[in-house]
Amino acid sequence: MKKLIADLSEFQEGIDFAQMKIEGVEGVILRGGDGTYLDKAFEGFYQKSRLRELPTGAYWYSRAVTAAQAEAEAALFYERCLKGRKFELPVYLDVECDAQGGLGRDGLTAVILAWAKYLQERGYLCGVYTWPGWVRDRMHGDKLSGLELWLCQWASERPETDCGMWQFGGESNFLRSSVIAGKVIDQNYMYKDYPAIIKKQG
């Protein structure tokens, strides 16, 4: 399977969800926040995704450089974005900031696992968003096997590393127009039936 998924933040505020569906979008992943900052469009986007019956996931752009900071980000994400809401797609930790790039395999893996543990204990299917090179060179992939993988590679070819979600374009897009419903959007192909997986796992 391959479904077109849009990931959205306040930078796309005002986008027409009905028009996105007309143009082929089959699900959305919404930014909850960045570090300790809450995305001001999250609540409105969530309500619109429900109205249009779009499978929905969420992500948090992480600034954490310790396990304790990662757990604090997860707690904020849970309390302000996830709690009491329904999601058919995974919740992801966006790992890409410069400070995290210098942590080394042990440090970055510890950050990811601490974040995921907090949310897995509360019943969420968790994943990590990053670049293929970071998975290869900056993480202990064997320790992250229980997490879903969402990879960013703006190119015409899918990453060699297996992943459930591939972000293939944004401002640069080698497969489609970068614009959907009048906005430049980061675009993804989903290769796993996450709604079915999440339903099965309860």
Side-chain angles (χ1 to χ4, degrees), residues 10 31-43 60 73 75-82:
E10 62 189 43
R31 187 180 76 162
D34 178 339
T36 59
Y37 173 78
L38 293 166
D39 191 299
K40 63 184 181 181
F42 179 86
E43 176 61 30
W60 193 269
E73 286 186 348
L76 181 60
F77 191 24
Y78 174 71
E79 291 293 339
R80 300 298 295 273
C81 300
L82 306 180

Side-chain angles (χ1 to χ4, degrees), residues 92-159:
Y92 295 93
L93 185 66
D94 182 341
V95 174
E96 59 178 291
C97 78
D98 291 342
Q100 292 172 331
L103 291 177
R105 290 181 189 270
D106 291 346
L108 186 53
T109 301
V111 162
I112 296 167
L113 290 176
W115 184 90
K117 181 175 183 290
Y118 183 94
L119 293 173
Q120 286 170 333
E121 289 175 349
R122 286 154 180 81
Y124 294 92
L125 180 62
C126 295
V128 60
Y129 165 97
T130 194
W131 296 295
W134 279 41
V135 175
R136 183 183 64 245
D137 301 328
R138 302 188 185 191
M139 304 173 186
H140 290 299
D142 57 327
K143 295 182 179 179
L144 302 176
S145 60
L147 300 179
E148 298 301 317
L149 197 56
W150 176 14
L151 292 181
C152 172
Q153 180 171 289
W154 291 3
S156 58
E157 297 294 331
R158 184 175 171 179

